Amino acid sequence: MCASSEYTPLDETDREILQILQRDARNKTAVAIGEQIGVSDGTVRNRIGNLEQRGIIEGYVPIINYEEAGYQLEIRITCTSRIVNRQELADEALQIEGVVEVQELMTGRENIEVTAVAPKHDDVTRVAQTLDELGLQVESEELIRHHYFRPFNHFGTESVVDDEGEADADHELS
């Protein structure tokens, strides 16, 4: 299914580049990526520029261990919004100090999930109160013990391996 009339499918080179960038965009040069997948560094730079221009790559963000940074509390707050206000309230929730992620869900109830980090419990309470003041009904607050994630590895790039010779890598955030 095409997302728009301008949709162009990813080819093998695009998928390989995306796979490598997901694993470590900071420490991989165009030269290193090119050597790894067998194309020139110019091709890699052009492909990355094209992927950014098409909106496939939206940005690059570091993976932060909030606990090590002094924010030992990571909490998921599940809220309910009226459907007509859902997107607006999700955008407003993202502006609250301490909020690091907001997910807008396609459900009638419990349709916004907010992830916030804080150094102390009072800050968590402040986030929940601010969400309530915005008009979101707080349904639950859950303290997150560990956060595990992995890059999407289904670009059909079995030929791409990381520096340790593994097909993909899992990551843990505390």
Side-chain angles (χ1 to χ4, degrees), residues 65-172:
N65 182 323
Y66 291 109
E67 186 174 5
E68 291 296 320
Y71 297 86
Q72 61 272 15
L73 300 174
E74 183 175 354
I75 189 160
R76 180 178 48 232
I77 303 170
T78 303
C79 304
T80 297
S81 166
R82 293 189 58 227
I83 293 173
V84 297
N85 302 99
R86 183 174 50 203
Q87 182 176 359
E88 175 187 344
L89 290 174
D91 290 339
E92 289 182 35
L94 194 56
Q95 304 309 311
I96 299 170
E97 183 181 346
V99 172
V100 296
E101 181 179 6
V102 176
Q103 293 183 22
E104 187 180 338
L105 307 174
M106 298 296 291
T107 64
R109 296 194 50 78
E110 298 183 359
N111 55 11
I112 294 182
E113 283 193 354
V114 176
T115 303
V117 296
K120 56 186 189 283
H121 290 285
D122 290 346
D123 294 316
V124 172
T125 300
R126 176 191 47 77
V127 170
Q129 287 174 338
T130 305
L131 291 168
D132 183 64
E133 291 166 7
L134 287 177
L136 288 165
Q137 181 176 335
V138 174
E139 304 287 350
S140 67
E141 300 175 44
E142 300 169 302
L143 187 61
I144 298 169
R145 180 169 181 241
H146 292 289
H147 181 135
Y148 305 92
F149 73 98
R150 68 185 292 164
F152 178 70
N153 65 346
H154 300 288
F155 285 118
T157 56
E158 293 82 14
S159 62
V160 176
V161 294
D162 62 21
D163 294 334
E164 287 80 40
E166 297 177 12
D168 58 41
D170 294 337
H171 301 280
E172 173 188 351

Side-chain angles (χ1 to χ4, degrees), residues 6-7 11 13 15 18 20 22 28 30 41 45-47 53 56 78 80 90 106 109 118 133 137 148 152 164 167:
E6 298 175 18
Y7 170 79
D11 67 12
T13 301
R15 289 190 299 268
L18 289 172
I20 292 167
Q22 283 185 120
K28 291 291 186 176
D41 56 311
R45 280 191 285 279
N46 290 338
R47 293 296 187 106
Q53 184 179 27
I56 293 169
T78 303
T80 297
M106 298 296 291
R109 296 194 50 78
E133 291 166 7
Q137 181 176 335
Y148 305 92
F152 178 70
E164 287 80 40

